[in-house]
Amino acid sequence: MLDVLMPAVFGLLGAAVGAVAAVWGAKRAADTAIEQTFHQHEFERERWRREQRQQAYVAFLEAVDALSGLLESLSVRVEREDTIAPDTWREMDDGDQAVMRAADRIELTGSRRVAEAASELSIVLTNMCSALLPGEGRPPAHRMIDFQPRSHLKQPAYARFRREAQVALGFEDPSE
């Protein structure tokens, strides 16, 4: 009877150890799968956030470039004392509004430093627009005197925005 009982006990013990090992292995596999799913979710979330930021930054630069081209053209025309149609002034105002809206979008999606740089550039462009506008008793020469120093602020503000955006998107080392 001992010859039958001993192998049965060892068989049951082996089955119990095997079952415990299987449960432990299944738990480890489930924990690993949960952890991988969590990391994948975080990765996807960060990628989505980066894409949103990149889209906002590109939209802002496109609005800035469009307004800058218009301001350059208008400044030449003001300096030559050409007559400028009211529609052109409205187009400038629309361009300025587009830059401000794009800067607001960056405030929602971007880092604080990028939002500050976008706001600074937006203010510079708004001031450039204001300088060119015809006002009561403002001859073209005075408008150009107001415009020139403001236009010199654009390039450093533009460069700062680009640098901050590159850092925020991971395209440049912030310590450089």
Side-chain angles (χ1 to χ4, degrees):
M1 171 108 165
L2 203 51
D3 348 343
V4 173
L5 193 57
M6 266 321 233
V9 168
F10 282 120
L12 280 173
L13 247 140
V17 168
V20 168
V23 168
W24 181 80
K27 182 184 178 331
R28 292 271 297 154
D31 289 346
T32 301
I34 289 169
E35 189 175 322
Q36 286 176 340
T37 301
F38 174 77
H39 288 300
Q40 182 66 30
H41 174 73
E42 286 298 309
F43 175 78
E44 291 296 327
R45 186 169 155 247
E46 275 306 309
R47 187 175 69 162
W48 177 82
R49 183 179 308 171
R50 184 170 181 241
E51 287 173 0
Q52 295 303 306
R53 284 181 171 180
Q54 186 172 3
Q55 289 173 6
Y57 300 166
V58 167
F60 179 73
L61 287 174
E62 288 172 348
V64 165
D65 290 344
L67 180 58
S68 295
L70 183 58
L71 286 172
E72 188 175 314
S73 170
L74 278 170
S75 68
V76 169
R77 293 174 66 189
V78 168
E79 192 169 38
R80 287 192 318 225
E81 298 187 24
D82 290 349
T83 302
I84 300 170
D87 286 347
T88 305
W89 295 117
R90 278 191 285 282
E91 184 181 345
M92 182 189 74
D93 186 53
D94 291 345
D96 189 33
Q97 293 295 319
V99 168
M100 286 189 272
R101 281 191 307 276
D104 287 345
R105 182 175 173 202
I106 289 172
E107 192 174 328
L108 293 174
T109 63
S111 70
R112 181 184 53 78
R113 293 175 62 125
V114 177
E116 288 171 358
S119 177
E120 175 188 341
L121 181 52
S122 178
I123 289 168
V124 166
L125 290 167
T126 296
N127 289 339
M128 289 170 65
C129 290
S130 297
L132 286 180
L133 282 172
E136 293 182 29
R138 288 187 68 218
H142 288 136
R143 289 159 44 199
M144 289 308 295
I145 288 170
D146 288 345
F147 178 78
Q148 290 301 330
R150 294 173 187 196
S151 70
H152 294 301
L153 299 174
K154 181 186 150 254
Q155 190 54 39
Y158 188 88
R160 177 174 176 241
F161 172 78
R162 286 182 58 94
R163 184 179 57 253
E164 294 297 345
Q166 287 173 326
V167 168
L169 292 173
F171 293 124
E172 187 176 299
D173 184 2
S175 63
E176 291 179 0

